[in-house]
Short mmCIF file of all heavy atoms in Angstrom, two decimals:
data_model
loop_
_atom_site.label_atom_id
_atom_site.label_comp_id
_atom_site.label_asym_id
_atom_site.label_seq_id
_atom_site.Cartn_x
_atom_site.Cartn_y
_atom_site.Cartn_z
N SER A 412 -62.50 -145.63 21.34
CA SER A 412 -61.28 -145.26 22.04
C SER A 412 -60.61 -144.01 21.47
O SER A 412 -60.11 -143.17 22.23
CB SER A 412 -60.29 -146.42 22.04
OG SER A 412 -59.94 -146.81 20.72
N ASN A 413 -60.56 -143.87 20.14
CA ASN A 413 -59.87 -142.69 19.59
C ASN A 413 -60.71 -141.42 19.75
O ASN A 413 -60.16 -140.32 19.84
CB ASN A 413 -59.46 -142.91 18.14
CG ASN A 413 -60.62 -143.25 17.21
OD1 ASN A 413 -61.63 -143.79 17.63
ND2 ASN A 413 -60.46 -142.95 15.93
N ILE A 414 -62.04 -141.55 19.82
CA ILE A 414 -62.89 -140.40 20.12
C ILE A 414 -62.64 -139.94 21.55
O ILE A 414 -62.47 -138.75 21.82
CB ILE A 414 -64.38 -140.76 19.92
CG1 ILE A 414 -64.66 -141.09 18.44
CG2 ILE A 414 -65.28 -139.65 20.42
CD1 ILE A 414 -64.52 -139.94 17.49
N VAL A 415 -62.63 -140.90 22.48
CA VAL A 415 -62.36 -140.58 23.88
C VAL A 415 -60.99 -139.94 24.02
O VAL A 415 -60.81 -138.97 24.78
CB VAL A 415 -62.46 -141.85 24.76
CG1 VAL A 415 -61.99 -141.57 26.17
CG2 VAL A 415 -63.90 -142.36 24.78
N HIS A 416 -60.02 -140.45 23.29
CA HIS A 416 -58.66 -139.88 23.35
C HIS A 416 -58.67 -138.40 22.95
O HIS A 416 -58.08 -137.57 23.64
CB HIS A 416 -57.73 -140.66 22.42
CG HIS A 416 -56.35 -140.09 22.33
ND1 HIS A 416 -55.38 -140.32 23.28
CD2 HIS A 416 -55.79 -139.25 21.41
CE1 HIS A 416 -54.28 -139.67 22.94
NE2 HIS A 416 -54.49 -139.02 21.81
N SER A 417 -59.35 -138.07 21.87
CA SER A 417 -59.39 -136.66 21.44
C SER A 417 -60.11 -135.79 22.46
O SER A 417 -59.68 -134.66 22.74
CB SER A 417 -60.08 -136.54 20.08
OG SER A 417 -59.22 -136.96 19.04
N TYR A 418 -61.22 -136.28 23.00
CA TYR A 418 -61.91 -135.54 24.05
C TYR A 418 -60.97 -135.26 25.23
O TYR A 418 -60.91 -134.15 25.76
CB TYR A 418 -63.12 -136.32 24.56
CG TYR A 418 -64.38 -136.18 23.75
CD1 TYR A 418 -65.14 -137.30 23.43
CD2 TYR A 418 -64.84 -134.95 23.33
CE1 TYR A 418 -66.31 -137.20 22.70
CE2 TYR A 418 -66.02 -134.83 22.59
CZ TYR A 418 -66.75 -135.96 22.28
OH TYR A 418 -67.91 -135.84 21.57
N ASN A 419 -60.26 -136.31 25.66
CA ASN A 419 -59.39 -136.16 26.82
C ASN A 419 -58.26 -135.18 26.58
O ASN A 419 -57.94 -134.35 27.43
CB ASN A 419 -58.82 -137.52 27.22
CG ASN A 419 -59.85 -138.42 27.87
OD1 ASN A 419 -60.89 -137.95 28.34
ND2 ASN A 419 -59.59 -139.71 27.89
N VAL A 420 -57.65 -135.26 25.39
CA VAL A 420 -56.57 -134.32 25.07
C VAL A 420 -57.10 -132.90 25.03
O VAL A 420 -56.49 -131.96 25.56
CB VAL A 420 -55.93 -134.69 23.72
CG1 VAL A 420 -54.95 -133.61 23.27
CG2 VAL A 420 -55.20 -136.03 23.82
N SER A 421 -58.27 -132.72 24.44
CA SER A 421 -58.86 -131.38 24.33
C SER A 421 -59.22 -130.79 25.68
O SER A 421 -59.08 -129.58 25.90
CB SER A 421 -60.11 -131.45 23.45
OG SER A 421 -60.82 -130.24 23.48
N SER A 422 -59.67 -131.65 26.61
CA SER A 422 -60.18 -131.16 27.89
C SER A 422 -59.10 -131.00 28.95
O SER A 422 -59.38 -130.51 30.05
CB SER A 422 -61.26 -132.11 28.41
OG SER A 422 -62.35 -132.17 27.53
N ALA A 423 -57.88 -131.40 28.63
CA ALA A 423 -56.84 -131.46 29.66
C ALA A 423 -56.61 -130.14 30.38
O ALA A 423 -56.38 -130.11 31.59
CB ALA A 423 -55.53 -131.94 29.04
N SER A 424 -56.70 -129.04 29.67
CA SER A 424 -56.40 -127.74 30.29
C SER A 424 -57.61 -126.82 30.31
O SER A 424 -57.46 -125.60 30.26
CB SER A 424 -55.25 -127.07 29.51
OG SER A 424 -55.61 -126.89 28.14
N SER A 425 -58.79 -127.40 30.44
CA SER A 425 -60.01 -126.59 30.34
C SER A 425 -60.22 -125.66 31.53
O SER A 425 -60.87 -124.63 31.42
CB SER A 425 -61.23 -127.50 30.19
OG SER A 425 -61.49 -128.19 31.39
N GLY A 426 -59.72 -126.03 32.70
CA GLY A 426 -59.94 -125.22 33.90
C GLY A 426 -61.20 -125.58 34.66
O GLY A 426 -61.47 -125.01 35.73
N MET A 427 -62.00 -126.53 34.15
CA MET A 427 -63.25 -126.91 34.82
C MET A 427 -63.00 -127.48 36.21
O MET A 427 -63.70 -127.15 37.17
CB MET A 427 -64.00 -127.93 33.97
CG MET A 427 -64.67 -127.36 32.74
SD MET A 427 -66.14 -126.40 33.12
CE MET A 427 -67.30 -127.70 33.56
N LEU A 428 -62.01 -128.35 36.32
CA LEU A 428 -61.75 -128.99 37.60
C LEU A 428 -61.33 -127.97 38.66
O LEU A 428 -61.80 -128.01 39.80
CB LEU A 428 -60.69 -130.07 37.44
CG LEU A 428 -60.32 -130.85 38.70
CD1 LEU A 428 -61.54 -131.50 39.33
CD2 LEU A 428 -59.26 -131.90 38.37
N ASP A 429 -60.44 -127.06 38.29
CA ASP A 429 -59.99 -126.05 39.25
C ASP A 429 -61.14 -125.16 39.70
O ASP A 429 -61.18 -124.72 40.85
CB ASP A 429 -58.87 -125.21 38.64
CG ASP A 429 -57.56 -125.97 38.51
OD1 ASP A 429 -57.36 -126.90 39.31
OD2 ASP A 429 -56.78 -125.65 37.60
N GLU A 430 -62.07 -124.89 38.81
CA GLU A 430 -63.19 -123.99 39.14
C GLU A 430 -64.25 -124.68 39.98
O GLU A 430 -64.80 -124.08 40.91
CB GLU A 430 -63.82 -123.44 37.86
CG GLU A 430 -65.03 -122.55 38.08
CD GLU A 430 -64.73 -121.34 38.94
OE1 GLU A 430 -63.64 -120.73 38.78
OE2 GLU A 430 -65.57 -120.98 39.80
N PHE A 431 -64.56 -125.94 39.68
CA PHE A 431 -65.71 -126.57 40.32
C PHE A 431 -65.36 -127.67 41.33
O PHE A 431 -66.24 -128.13 42.06
CB PHE A 431 -66.65 -127.15 39.25
CG PHE A 431 -67.37 -126.09 38.46
CD1 PHE A 431 -66.90 -125.69 37.21
CD2 PHE A 431 -68.49 -125.46 38.97
CE1 PHE A 431 -67.56 -124.71 36.47
CE2 PHE A 431 -69.15 -124.47 38.25
CZ PHE A 431 -68.69 -124.11 36.99
N GLY A 432 -64.10 -128.11 41.37
CA GLY A 432 -63.72 -129.12 42.36
C GLY A 432 -63.78 -128.56 43.76
O GLY A 432 -63.32 -127.45 44.03
N VAL A 433 -64.30 -129.34 44.72
CA VAL A 433 -64.60 -128.81 46.05
C VAL A 433 -63.35 -128.59 46.90
O VAL A 433 -63.30 -127.67 47.72
CB VAL A 433 -65.59 -129.75 46.78
CG1 VAL A 433 -64.99 -131.13 47.02
CG2 VAL A 433 -66.06 -129.13 48.09
N ASN A 434 -62.32 -129.43 46.74
CA ASN A 434 -61.10 -129.27 47.54
C ASN A 434 -59.94 -129.96 46.84
O ASN A 434 -60.11 -130.64 45.83
CB ASN A 434 -61.29 -129.80 48.97
CG ASN A 434 -61.74 -131.26 48.99
OD1 ASN A 434 -61.25 -132.09 48.22
ND2 ASN A 434 -62.69 -131.58 49.87
N ASP A 435 -58.75 -129.80 47.40
CA ASP A 435 -57.55 -130.35 46.76
C ASP A 435 -57.57 -131.88 46.70
O ASP A 435 -57.06 -132.48 45.75
CB ASP A 435 -56.29 -129.88 47.50
CG ASP A 435 -55.99 -128.41 47.23
OD1 ASP A 435 -56.52 -127.87 46.24
OD2 ASP A 435 -55.24 -127.81 48.02
N THR A 436 -58.15 -132.51 47.74
CA THR A 436 -58.21 -133.98 47.74
C THR A 436 -59.00 -134.48 46.54
O THR A 436 -58.57 -135.39 45.82
CB THR A 436 -58.85 -134.49 49.04
OG1 THR A 436 -58.06 -134.06 50.15
CG2 THR A 436 -58.96 -136.00 49.03
N VAL A 437 -60.16 -133.89 46.34
CA VAL A 437 -61.00 -134.29 45.21
C VAL A 437 -60.31 -133.97 43.89
O VAL A 437 -60.30 -134.79 42.96
CB VAL A 437 -62.37 -133.60 45.29
CG1 VAL A 437 -63.15 -133.74 43.98
CG2 VAL A 437 -63.18 -134.17 46.44
N LYS A 438 -59.72 -132.79 43.78
CA LYS A 438 -59.07 -132.39 42.54
C LYS A 438 -57.92 -133.33 42.18
O LYS A 438 -57.78 -133.75 41.03
CB LYS A 438 -58.55 -130.96 42.65
CG LYS A 438 -59.65 -129.91 42.70
CD LYS A 438 -59.04 -128.52 42.89
CE LYS A 438 -60.11 -127.46 43.09
NZ LYS A 438 -59.53 -126.12 43.33
N GLN A 439 -57.10 -133.65 43.18
CA GLN A 439 -55.95 -134.52 42.91
C GLN A 439 -56.39 -135.93 42.54
O GLN A 439 -55.80 -136.58 41.67
CB GLN A 439 -55.01 -134.55 44.12
CG GLN A 439 -54.26 -133.24 44.36
CD GLN A 439 -53.50 -132.78 43.13
OE1 GLN A 439 -52.80 -133.56 42.47
NE2 GLN A 439 -53.63 -131.49 42.80
N ARG A 440 -57.45 -136.39 43.20
CA ARG A 440 -57.95 -137.73 42.89
C ARG A 440 -58.49 -137.78 41.46
O ARG A 440 -58.26 -138.74 40.72
CB ARG A 440 -59.04 -138.12 43.89
CG ARG A 440 -59.55 -139.54 43.69
CD ARG A 440 -60.27 -140.06 44.93
NE ARG A 440 -61.33 -139.16 45.33
CZ ARG A 440 -61.63 -138.89 46.62
NH1 ARG A 440 -60.95 -139.44 47.60
NH2 ARG A 440 -62.62 -138.07 46.90
N ILE A 441 -59.20 -136.75 41.05
CA ILE A 441 -59.73 -136.72 39.68
C ILE A 441 -58.61 -136.56 38.67
O ILE A 441 -58.63 -137.17 37.59
CB ILE A 441 -60.78 -135.60 39.54
CG1 ILE A 441 -62.04 -135.95 40.35
CG2 ILE A 441 -61.15 -135.38 38.08
CD1 ILE A 441 -63.09 -134.86 40.36
N LYS A 442 -57.61 -135.73 39.00
CA LYS A 442 -56.49 -135.58 38.07
C LYS A 442 -55.76 -136.91 37.86
O LYS A 442 -55.32 -137.22 36.75
CB LYS A 442 -55.52 -134.53 38.60
CG LYS A 442 -56.01 -133.10 38.42
CD LYS A 442 -55.03 -132.09 38.98
CE LYS A 442 -55.54 -130.65 38.80
NZ LYS A 442 -54.62 -129.65 39.38
N LYS A 443 -55.66 -137.69 38.93
CA LYS A 443 -54.94 -138.95 38.83
C LYS A 443 -55.78 -140.04 38.20
O LYS A 443 -55.30 -140.82 37.36
CB LYS A 443 -54.46 -139.40 40.21
CG LYS A 443 -53.60 -140.66 40.15
CD LYS A 443 -52.96 -140.97 41.49
CE LYS A 443 -52.00 -142.15 41.37
NZ LYS A 443 -51.33 -142.47 42.64
N TRP A 444 -57.06 -140.10 38.60
CA TRP A 444 -57.88 -141.25 38.24
C TRP A 444 -59.08 -140.92 37.35
O TRP A 444 -59.79 -141.82 36.91
CB TRP A 444 -58.40 -141.93 39.50
CG TRP A 444 -57.35 -142.42 40.43
CD1 TRP A 444 -57.10 -141.95 41.68
CD2 TRP A 444 -56.40 -143.46 40.19
NE1 TRP A 444 -56.05 -142.64 42.26
CE2 TRP A 444 -55.61 -143.57 41.35
CE3 TRP A 444 -56.16 -144.30 39.11
CZ2 TRP A 444 -54.58 -144.50 41.45
CZ3 TRP A 444 -55.13 -145.23 39.22
CH2 TRP A 444 -54.36 -145.32 40.38
N GLY A 445 -59.33 -139.65 37.08
CA GLY A 445 -60.56 -139.28 36.41
C GLY A 445 -60.73 -139.87 35.03
O GLY A 445 -61.84 -140.27 34.65
N SER A 446 -59.66 -139.94 34.26
CA SER A 446 -59.76 -140.49 32.91
C SER A 446 -60.11 -141.97 32.95
O SER A 446 -61.01 -142.43 32.24
CB SER A 446 -58.46 -140.26 32.15
OG SER A 446 -58.55 -140.78 30.85
N LEU A 447 -59.41 -142.73 33.77
CA LEU A 447 -59.70 -144.15 33.92
C LEU A 447 -61.11 -144.34 34.46
O LEU A 447 -61.85 -145.23 34.02
CB LEU A 447 -58.68 -144.82 34.83
CG LEU A 447 -58.92 -146.30 35.15
CD1 LEU A 447 -58.93 -147.13 33.87
CD2 LEU A 447 -57.87 -146.82 36.13
N ALA A 448 -61.51 -143.51 35.44
CA ALA A 448 -62.84 -143.61 36.02
C ALA A 448 -63.92 -143.39 34.98
O ALA A 448 -64.92 -144.13 34.92
CB ALA A 448 -62.99 -142.59 37.16
N ALA A 449 -63.73 -142.38 34.14
CA ALA A 449 -64.72 -142.10 33.09
C ALA A 449 -64.78 -143.23 32.08
O ALA A 449 -65.87 -143.62 31.63
CB ALA A 449 -64.38 -140.78 32.40
N ASP A 450 -63.62 -143.77 31.70
CA ASP A 450 -63.60 -144.90 30.76
C ASP A 450 -64.33 -146.11 31.34
O ASP A 450 -65.13 -146.75 30.66
CB ASP A 450 -62.15 -145.29 30.43
CG ASP A 450 -61.45 -144.26 29.55
OD1 ASP A 450 -62.14 -143.37 29.02
OD2 ASP A 450 -60.23 -144.35 29.40
N LEU A 451 -64.06 -146.42 32.61
CA LEU A 451 -64.70 -147.57 33.23
C LEU A 451 -66.21 -147.36 33.36
O LEU A 451 -66.99 -148.30 33.18
CB LEU A 451 -64.09 -147.84 34.61
CG LEU A 451 -62.75 -148.58 34.63
CD1 LEU A 451 -62.19 -148.63 36.04
CD2 LEU A 451 -62.91 -149.99 34.06
N HIS A 452 -66.60 -146.13 33.67
CA HIS A 452 -68.05 -145.85 33.76
C HIS A 452 -68.72 -146.12 32.41
O HIS A 452 -69.76 -146.78 32.35
CB HIS A 452 -68.29 -144.41 34.18
CG HIS A 452 -69.75 -144.05 34.21
ND1 HIS A 452 -70.50 -144.09 35.36
CD2 HIS A 452 -70.61 -143.68 33.23
CE1 HIS A 452 -71.76 -143.76 35.08
NE2 HIS A 452 -71.84 -143.50 33.78
N THR A 453 -68.12 -145.59 31.34
CA THR A 453 -68.69 -145.81 30.02
C THR A 453 -68.75 -147.30 29.69
O THR A 453 -69.76 -147.81 29.19
CB THR A 453 -67.87 -145.08 28.95
OG1 THR A 453 -67.88 -143.68 29.23
CG2 THR A 453 -68.43 -145.31 27.55
N GLU A 454 -67.67 -148.01 29.98
CA GLU A 454 -67.62 -149.44 29.66
C GLU A 454 -68.65 -150.22 30.46
O GLU A 454 -69.36 -151.09 29.92
CB GLU A 454 -66.20 -149.96 29.91
CG GLU A 454 -65.21 -149.42 28.88
CD GLU A 454 -63.76 -149.49 29.32
OE1 GLU A 454 -63.50 -149.99 30.44
OE2 GLU A 454 -62.88 -149.03 28.57
N MET A 455 -68.79 -149.92 31.77
CA MET A 455 -69.78 -150.63 32.58
C MET A 455 -71.20 -150.25 32.19
O MET A 455 -72.11 -151.08 32.20
CB MET A 455 -69.53 -150.37 34.07
CG MET A 455 -68.28 -151.06 34.60
SD MET A 455 -68.14 -151.01 36.41
CE MET A 455 -67.80 -149.26 36.69
N HIS A 456 -71.42 -148.97 31.87
CA HIS A 456 -72.72 -148.51 31.39
C HIS A 456 -73.15 -149.33 30.17
O HIS A 456 -74.30 -149.80 30.10
CB HIS A 456 -72.60 -147.02 31.02
CG HIS A 456 -73.81 -146.43 30.35
ND1 HIS A 456 -74.64 -145.52 30.97
CD2 HIS A 456 -74.33 -146.59 29.10
CE1 HIS A 456 -75.60 -145.16 30.15
NE2 HIS A 456 -75.43 -145.79 29.00
N GLU A 457 -72.25 -149.53 29.22
CA GLU A 457 -72.59 -150.23 27.99
C GLU A 457 -72.58 -151.74 28.16
O GLU A 457 -73.51 -152.43 27.73
CB GLU A 457 -71.61 -149.82 26.87
CG GLU A 457 -71.60 -148.34 26.53
CD GLU A 457 -72.91 -147.85 25.94
OE1 GLU A 457 -73.75 -148.70 25.57
OE2 GLU A 457 -73.09 -146.63 25.85
N VAL A 458 -71.55 -152.27 28.80
CA VAL A 458 -71.35 -153.72 28.83
C VAL A 458 -72.30 -154.41 29.81
O VAL A 458 -72.95 -155.39 29.46
CB VAL A 458 -69.88 -154.06 29.19
CG1 VAL A 458 -69.70 -155.56 29.35
CG2 VAL A 458 -68.95 -153.54 28.12
N ILE A 459 -72.37 -153.92 31.05
CA ILE A 459 -73.21 -154.59 32.04
C ILE A 459 -74.47 -153.80 32.36
O ILE A 459 -75.42 -154.35 32.90
CB ILE A 459 -72.43 -154.91 33.33
CG1 ILE A 459 -71.90 -153.63 33.99
CG2 ILE A 459 -71.30 -155.88 33.04
CD1 ILE A 459 -71.20 -153.88 35.32
#
Side-chain angles (χ1 to χ4, degrees):
S412 60
N413 57 334
I414 296 293
V415 172
H416 175 81
S417 284
Y418 277 135
N419 287 341
V420 171
S421 171
S422 298
S424 59
S425 71
M427 286 286 287
L428 180 57
D429 288 333
E430 177 59 39
F431 290 98
V433 63
N434 55 42
D435 287 342
T436 299
V437 167
K438 291 177 186 178
Q439 290 305 314
R440 184 161 55 218
I441 291 175
K442 284 179 180 178
K443 184 171 186 179
W444 301 113
S446 180
L447 176 60
D450 289 348
L451 281 173
H452 177 96
T453 300
E454 290 160 2
M455 288 191 290
H456 173 110
E457 300 295 347
V458 174
I459 60 176

